[in-house]
Amino acid sequence: MKINRLSQVLLASLLSFTCIRPLNAEPTSKLTVVVNGIRHQKGQICLRIYDSEKGFPLSDRSEVQSGCTRITGKSITKHFYGLKRGTYAIAVVDDQNGNQKLDSDFFGIPKEGFGISNNPKVSIQTGTPKFSKSSFTVTKNTTVNIDLKYSLDP
């Protein structure tokens, strides 16, 4: 009988904790990313969301969320949930070999398709896009469209 009573008390305590909502919970938003211009029908599209310039756009140093989606057409849509209000930027790779990173040649020129939020110009003159040029603000549910590039801009 004591074990049964103890399990009832534990269950009641556990249920009361799950019903408590934090009073000062920070609101979160859903980010929908639409990637357009996919040339291949194999592989996957990998996305990384960053909240600062550290590591953007090639490493995961300031990555907040990431994920890959199998290619099923000329565009894909990926949803990310639980983003706090803030400034973010996104890097996208048409990952043809499954290594979840952008492959480049000896000179650093991408060998796979890529995209950056705000669709900045990417050329030898401009270099790698900066977080400040690629970032956007999330204060509510937001949709971002990114066009893939398969070569540097002229």
Side-chain angles (χ1 to χ4, degrees):
M1 279 315 240
K2 284 186 178 183
I3 292 175
N4 191 18
R5 178 76 176 137
L6 180 60
S7 63
Q8 288 176 349
V9 170
L10 284 173
L11 181 60
S13 298
L14 185 60
L15 286 174
S16 68
F17 283 124
T18 59
C19 294
I20 297 173
R21 285 166 81 91
L23 294 177
N24 296 324
E26 191 171 341
T28 61
S29 300
K30 175 177 80 169
L31 175 63
T32 301
V33 183
V34 179
V35 179
N36 299 301
I38 300 170
R39 290 185 182 171
H40 306 284
Q41 296 305 301
K42 61 181 176 64
Q44 60 186 357
I45 298 296
C46 293
L47 305 93
R48 284 188 176 154
I49 301 173
Y50 297 84
D51 67 354
S52 80
E53 63 190 36
K54 293 179 189 148
F56 176 80
L58 299 173
S59 84
D60 60 1
R61 287 187 54 206
S62 65
E63 175 186 301
V64 177
Q65 289 189 36
S66 64
C68 297
T69 299
R70 198 171 62 85
I71 295 172
T72 57
K74 301 268 184 218
S75 69
I76 62 103
T77 300
K78 177 106 175 119
H79 303 284
F80 295 92
Y81 298 91
L83 288 175
K84 296 176 183 174
R85 292 180 181 198
T87 303
Y88 298 94
I90 305 167
V92 179
V93 174
D94 180 351
D95 184 25
Q96 291 296 299
N97 61 4
N99 67 354
Q100 299 182 4
K101 67 178 187 174
L102 180 63
D103 294 322
S104 57
D105 66 14
F106 177 76
F107 299 104
I109 297 173
K111 296 194 307 188
E112 295 177 302
F114 64 95
I116 302 288
S117 47
N118 294 341
N119 299 305
K121 184 174 183 176
V122 181
S123 69
I124 292 175
Q125 290 81 20
T126 63
T128 303
K130 302 290 182 216
F131 181 85
S132 60
K133 295 280 186 193
S134 307
S135 61
F136 56 94
T137 303
V138 171
T139 58
K140 60 182 179 172
N141 292 346
T142 303
T143 298
V144 173
N145 289 284
I146 298 176
D147 298 323
L148 285 183
K149 300 174 185 274
Y150 287 88
S151 65
L152 297 179
D153 292 315

